[in-house]
Amino acid sequence: VSDRASRLLQALSAEPQGRGAELMLVTSLVNVRYLTGFTGSNGAVLVGPDRRVFLTDFRYVEQSAAEVDPSFERHIAGRDVFEDVAGLMPPGEVRLGFEDRDLTVHQHATLREKLPATVELAAAGAAVEAQRAVKEPGEIERIRAACELADAALREILDGGLAGRTEAEVALALEDAMRHRGASAASFDTIVAAGPHGALPHASPRDVRISPGQLVVIDWGAVLDGYCSDCTRTFASGEPDEPARAIYELVLDAQLAGLEQLRPGVACRDADGAARRVIERGGHAEQFGHSLGHGVGLEVHEKPTLSGRSEDVLEVGNVVSCEPGVYVPGELGVRIEDLCVITPSGREVLTHLPKELVVVG
Ligand code: ZN
Ligand code: ZN
């Protein structure tokens, strides 16, 4: 963990991400965790060439002593830790980078009010997020373990069948199975969406029974040791009709075409385009409204972004999802999602459930 702060300082000195800032105030809790190991709910980090300070309040004295990397000085502040940042500034002119996607307008005003006029505040964008996009081997192992746990939990709940259970029951059983296997939480609200409800990409599970012969979209993930998994499979609750099967096969072709593109040096928008073309050729272009995928790590949606507008280019160590879908309003939805890590020779898929259409009793 300790050299993550050094890498952040190097990135800061480079335009445009760091805006040339000499010091960086990190306030996003997930970024604070990434840099220090701290998992509490109030903390900030100040990183400079000669000083690394972790700030929290009195509730976290013991937890921070146990968790925070020893390369940081620990500073116990009031609840509003920003109030103490001014006292930690070096003398003279300095540019202090801050996370403009995280700091509220109110916090920025408090900070500005307390800081001496010699300190210039510089919006430093997503410098830590950019660093987090490239995973270290230990992070990849954690994500791999989260994927294995989530795969096993899904297999377990499928043994109970789908038809006749409500979407909400299946979602709860799945989240329960993940917790029993050691997950601290689900990565996001589990999606179980049958038949026409599956046409909503972000459907909430309902108290509605799954009928035989419907397509059922299940999108789920586990958080294990802080790291998320993310996977989607579409099952059939009994033999589906021919048009439903054809859409399933089309989405699978698109998913495989997308996966094929995932390797170092490929522009994320080209990977998105490869999958999208398959769906366009199948006549369903209008029914694939979201992007192909996203990075996954400490957060379930992080860098890079696999969309038609993305400027990101894949690098070794990125962990990304590949998840095309077709959503036919009033009829059905199909989405197939794998999580993979980009390797020097291409990609390694971390989610291992079968992808041919599985008919569940
Ligand atoms: Zn997902
Ligand atoms: Zn996803």
Side-chain angles (χ1 to χ4, degrees), residues 42-219:
N42 190 22
V45 166
L46 186 69
V47 185
D50 325 301
R51 220 173 166 191
R52 290 176 181 183
V53 186
F54 167 79
L55 300 98
T56 188
D57 69 67
F58 74 98
R59 293 172 299 165
Y60 290 114
V61 172
E62 288 189 39
Q63 186 179 334
S64 62
E67 290 180 343
V68 172
D69 185 89
S71 65
F72 290 84
E73 300 167 43
R74 277 176 293 114
H75 179 99
I76 306 303
R79 283 278 179 116
D80 205 349
V81 295
F82 303 99
E83 306 213 342
D84 281 30
V85 170
L88 299 167
M89 288 295 111
E93 304 254 322
V94 66
R95 266 169 93 80
L96 173 61
F98 69 94
E99 296 186 298
D100 50 305
R101 286 159 194 244
D102 182 74
L103 207 68
T104 66
V105 175
H106 176 74
Q107 288 166 334
H108 184 273
T110 306
L111 204 54
R112 185 63 279 172
E113 194 186 297
K114 304 265 175 191
L115 287 172
T118 49
V119 178
E120 185 191 345
L121 279 170
V128 184
E129 282 83 350
Q131 192 177 339
R132 278 171 39 204
V134 178
K135 270 70 180 174
E136 299 160 7
E139 295 183 285
I140 293 166
E141 286 322 303
R142 288 178 170 89
I143 297 168
R144 185 193 306 280
C147 289
E148 282 170 9
L149 184 153
D151 280 1
L154 196 276
R155 279 197 202 93
E156 180 188 317
I157 69 117
L158 282 189
D159 288 345
L162 288 174
R165 298 166 92 182
T166 70
E167 293 173 348
E169 279 166 14
V170 174
L172 181 62
L174 182 49
E175 290 182 2
D176 235 38
M178 291 194 288
R179 293 296 300 270
H180 277 293
R181 286 166 190 272
S184 60
S187 306
F188 50 89
D189 289 340
T190 300
I191 295 172
V192 177
H197 196 50
L200 281 62
H202 275 186
S204 292
R206 304 164 300 171
D207 287 320
V208 169
R209 285 189 196 289
I210 299 167
S211 310
Q214 287 187 311
L215 291 187
V216 184
V217 179
I218 303 184
D219 189 349

Side-chain angles (χ1 to χ4, degrees), residues 188 219 230-232 323 337:
F188 50 89
D219 189 349
D230 188 8
C231 180
T232 307
E323 50 179 307
E337 172 179 27

Side-chain angles (χ1 to χ4, degrees), residues 329-348:
E331 290 182 35
L332 58 83
V334 174
R335 179 166 66 257
I336 302 170
E337 172 179 27
D338 280 320
L339 199 57
C340 359
V341 54
I342 305 301
T343 63
S345 60
R347 81 228 58 95
E348 180 197 341

